[in-house]
C-alpha cells in the first residue's frame, strides 16, 4: 500500500523536506516550516509515466485572436486598473489587509456585472449567506441577482458553478476554501498552491472570469507561496493611504494591460466610491502664510495627479539631526538635502527635517524633486512660497533641472485646478492658462520662488529643548 507523504513545508515559499531543519533552504527564512501530511496519489504503477501521444503543433498566425469583449464593472477606477474590464477566462487575484474593503469591492463589482445580464456566482468562504445579504443591504445592492455558493470545498463549489453556467465567479477568499485530498490546513501553502492551480484550470477550461481575494502578510505580500502569483493573470493590491481617507488599488501584474495604473477610492457609508477628481481632494486648502508647502504633479500610469509636498524644519538638540519621510523615499530625501546644501547654499545640518505628501500617497516620480527641494527651502527659511505656483523637474546632483516625461499633461492638470504659474525645466512647452518660469538649475528655481540669497531664519527652540539650559542656570 502506498504511504502518505509526510514532512515539513515552508509557509513562505512552499519548499518541503522530510525532517525539521529550522531554516528553509529555499528562501532562507527561519521558523517557517510547518508539518504536513498528504494522502497518496496512487501506487507505483499509477506513477509510472505512460507513452504520451505527440502534441499537435500550432502556427502562430493561425491562432484565433482575442475577439471576446471585456466585462466592464462600471466602477471607473476598477476598470482603469484592470485595463478596461475583466477578460473572460482570466484569473484575477486581489490582495489586501483584512478590513481594507476587498469584499465590498467584489460585491459591488458582482452587482454591477449581474445588472448587465451576466450570470455571477460568489463562493462564500469567510462569510455566511446571511452576512453577505447584510453587506449587500448596506451597499444598496440586496436585490442584485447574484448566486451564492456557501461551500468551503472547492471541488463541489466549482462543480456547482460550472453546472449553472456562470460568466463570472468570485472566490472570497482563497484562504478559506479547501481542496479535497490534502490533509494540510486551509490556507496552508499546499492548499493555496493546489487551489490556485484548480481555479486556473477552471477559468481557462470554461472561459469563466474568476476573481479571487487573498489576505496579505506583514511584509505586504499575498499570503501563501509565490507560485500563486505566478499562476494568475492579474495581481492587484488594495491598500490604504497612510494617514489618509483614500483606498489605493495598484496592479503589479497584468497580462492584459498596463501595470502602472492607480485606482483611487473613498470608503463611504454606501461603499467604495471612485475618486475621479483626486486633485480637489489631495490639494486641501491651507494657510497661505504657512511655509514648507509646494505643489507638483506626478504621473500614476496614464493619469496626472496634483499633490502637495509638505516640509517642516526645527532646530535639533541631537548630535545627529533626524530625517522623517512620509510618502517620500528616505534615501531620496537625504540626496535632495545634500543637493540643496551644496548647489542651493541652504544647509540643514543643525535642523530636524520632516517631509510628507498630502493624502498619504507615496510618490516615486522624480518629477517631484524640485517641489521637495522648494518645500525644504521654504521650511528652512520659514518663508512661504508664492501662492498659486507649482514646481516640476528632476534635480540632478549637479543642481541642473532635467526635463520630465509627459510634462504637457502635468501642466494641463495644474492649469485645470486653477494654478497660475509653474517653475519648469528649460524647453518646456507652453500651456494655455499657466505662466511658465523656465529654470536651468536649482539656483534659478530658488530665485524664481524668492528664496535665493536669504539667511536661514532661526526658529525658537521648544520649551523641552530649553529645559537643560534652564536647569544649569538654576544650579549656578
Amino acid at each position: 500500500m502506498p504511504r502518505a507523504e509526510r514532512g515539513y513545508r515552508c509557509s513562505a515559499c512552499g519548499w518541503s523536506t522530510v525532517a525539521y531543519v529550522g531554516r528553509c533552504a529555499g528562501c532562507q527564512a527561519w521558523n517557517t516550516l510547518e508539518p504536513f501530511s498528504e494522502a497518496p496519489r496512487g501506487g507505483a504503477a499509477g506513477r509510472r509515466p505512460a507513452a504520451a501521444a505527440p502534441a499537435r503543433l500550432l502556427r502562430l498566425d493561425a491562432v484565433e485572436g482575442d475577439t471576446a469583449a471585456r466585462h466592464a464593472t462600471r466602477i471607473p477606477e476598477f476598470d482603469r486598473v484592470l485595463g478596461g474590464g475583466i477578460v473572460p477566462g482570466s484569473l484575477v487575484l486581489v490582495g489586501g489587509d483584512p478590513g481594507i474593503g476587498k469584499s465590498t469591492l467584489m460585491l459591488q463589482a458582482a452587482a454591477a456585472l449581474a445588472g448587465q445580464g451576466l450570470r455571477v456566482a460568489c463562493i462564500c468562504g469567510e462569510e455566511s449567506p446571511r452576512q453577505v445579504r447584510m453587506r449587500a443591504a448596506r451597499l444598496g445592492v440586496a436585490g442584485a441577482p447574484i448566486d451564492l455558493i456557501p461551500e468551503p470545498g472547492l471541488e463541489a463549489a466549482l462543480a456547482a458553478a460550472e453546472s449553472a453556467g456562470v460568466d463570472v465567479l468570485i472566490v472570497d477568499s482563497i484562504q478559506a476554501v479547501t481542496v479535497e485530498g490534502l490533509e494540510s490546513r486551509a490556507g496552508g501553502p499546499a492548499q493555496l498552491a493546489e487551489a490556485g492551480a484548480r481555479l486556473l484550470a477552471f477559468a481557462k477550461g470554461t472561459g469563466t472570469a474568476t476573481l479571487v481575494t487573498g489576505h496579505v502578510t506583514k511584509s505586504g505580500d499575498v499570503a501563501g507561496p509565490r507560485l500563486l502569483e505566478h499562476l494568475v493573470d492579474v495581481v492587484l493590491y488594495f491598500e490604504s493611504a497612510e494617514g489618509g481617507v483614500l483606498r489605493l488599488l495598484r496592479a503589479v501584474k497584468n497580462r492584459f494591460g498596463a501595470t502602472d495604473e492607480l485606482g483611487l477610492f473613498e470608503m463611504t457609508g454606501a461603499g467604495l466610491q471612485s475618486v475621479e477628481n483626486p486633485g480637489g481632494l489631495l490639494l486641501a486648502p491651507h494657510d497661505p502664510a504657512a511655509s514648507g508647502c509646494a505643489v507638483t504633479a506626478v504621473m500614476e500610469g496614464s493619469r496626472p495627479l496634483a499633490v502637495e509636498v509638505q516640509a517642516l524644519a526645527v532646530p535639533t538638540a541631537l548630535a545627529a539631526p533626524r530625517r522623517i519621510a512620509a510618502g517620500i523615499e528616505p534615501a531620496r530625501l537625504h540626496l535632495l538635502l545634500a543637493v540643496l546644501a551644496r548647489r542651493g547654499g541652504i544647509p540643514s545640518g543643525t535642523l530636524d527635517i520632516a517631509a510628507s505628501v498630502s493624502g498619504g500617497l507615496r510618490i516615486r516620480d522624480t518629477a517631484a524633486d524640485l517641489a521637495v527641494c522648494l518645500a525644504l527651502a521654504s521650511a528652512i527659511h520659514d518663508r512661504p512660497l508664492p501662492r498659486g505656483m507649482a514646481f516640476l523637474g528632476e534635480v540632478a546632483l549637479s543642481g541642473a533641472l532635467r526635463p520630465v516625461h509627459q510634462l504637457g499633461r502635468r501642466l494641463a492638470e495644474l492649469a485645470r485646478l486653477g494654478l497660475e504659474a509653474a517653475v519648469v525645466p528649460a524647453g518646456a512647452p507652453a500651456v494655455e492658462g499657466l505662466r511658465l518660469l523656465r529654470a536651468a538649475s536649482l539656483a534659478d528655481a530658488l530665485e524664481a520662488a524668492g528664496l535665493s540669497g536669504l539667511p536661514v531664519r532661526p526658529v525658537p527652540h521648544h520649551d523641552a529643548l530649553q529645559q537643560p539650559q534652564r536647569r544649569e542656570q538654576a544650579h549656578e
Side-chain angles (χ1 to χ4, degrees), residues 94-429:
V94 182
D97 294 324
I100 197 66
K102 302 184 300 297
S103 300
T104 299
L105 180 62
M106 292 297 101
L107 190 54
Q108 290 183 242
L113 292 170
Q116 303 174 38
L118 297 175
R119 188 74 181 268
V120 182
C122 178
I123 300 178
C124 309
E126 294 184 340
E127 297 178 324
S128 65
R130 184 178 181 181
Q131 290 175 312
V132 177
R133 166 75 182 188
M134 294 170 59
R135 183 192 299 273
R138 292 196 303 268
L139 300 177
V141 295
I146 303 174
D147 297 321
L148 301 182
I149 307 177
E151 174 59 51
L154 186 59
E155 289 294 335
L158 293 182
E162 185 175 3
S163 62
V166 300
D167 300 306
V168 180
L169 177 66
I170 296 175
V171 182
D172 188 23
S173 70
I174 193 172
Q175 278 89 7
V177 298
T178 57
V179 178
E180 295 79 359
L182 299 181
E183 297 182 8
S184 56
R185 60 179 177 84
Q191 287 278 347
L192 292 177
E194 187 65 23
R198 298 194 183 189
L199 286 170
L200 180 65
F202 172 79
K204 302 303 180 184
T206 62
T208 304
T210 306
L211 288 83
V212 181
T213 65
H215 300 304
V216 298
T217 61
K218 293 181 179 179
S219 60
D221 299 325
V222 176
R226 301 292 294 186
L227 175 64
L228 185 61
E229 298 187 35
H230 292 302
L231 286 175
V232 302
D233 298 311
V234 181
V235 180
L236 307 179
Y237 278 95
F238 205 36
E239 57 190 17
S240 175
E242 299 177 3
V245 298
L246 295 179
R247 298 288 193 272
L248 312 179
L249 185 64
R250 298 180 184 273
V252 297
K253 176 185 178 181
N254 192 350
R255 290 174 177 165
F256 315 110
T259 58
D260 54 359
E261 292 290 351
L262 175 68
L264 299 176
F265 297 88
E266 183 179 5
M267 180 63 78
T268 65
L272 290 167
Q273 301 294 331
S274 296
V275 180
E276 301 182 14
N277 184 23
L281 185 62
L282 297 177
L283 294 183
H286 63 271
D287 185 6
S291 61
C293 300
V295 178
T296 187
V298 297
M299 293 298 298
E300 289 288 352
S302 60
R303 164 192 286 180
L305 293 179
V307 297
E308 185 181 65
V309 180
Q310 303 166 354
L312 185 66
V314 294
T316 182
L318 304 175
R322 292 175 295 182
R323 302 290 185 255
I324 304 173
I328 304 172
E329 294 182 0
R332 195 69 184 175
L333 177 61
H334 283 276
L335 184 147
L336 295 177
L337 283 172
V339 175
L340 189 63
R342 174 63 67 181
R343 308 302 179 187
I346 304 178
S348 58
T350 60
L351 300 171
D352 285 337
I353 299 294
S356 66
V357 181
S358 63
L361 294 179
R362 294 197 306 269
I363 56 175
R364 306 176 183 88
D365 195 343
T366 56
D369 287 354
L370 185 58
V372 175
C373 287
L374 268 295
L376 293 171
S378 172
I380 294 173
H381 285 303
D382 195 21
R383 186 166 180 173
L385 293 169
R387 189 172 184 179
M389 181 178 290
F391 306 89
L392 294 94
E394 179 183 354
V395 179
L397 294 180
S398 62
L401 291 188
R402 294 174 177 172
V404 296
H405 70 285
Q406 298 189 23
L407 183 57
R409 297 192 61 187
R410 301 172 192 257
L411 296 176
E413 175 67 11
L414 295 173
R416 187 184 68 84
L417 294 175
L419 276 80
E420 302 173 355
V423 179
V424 294

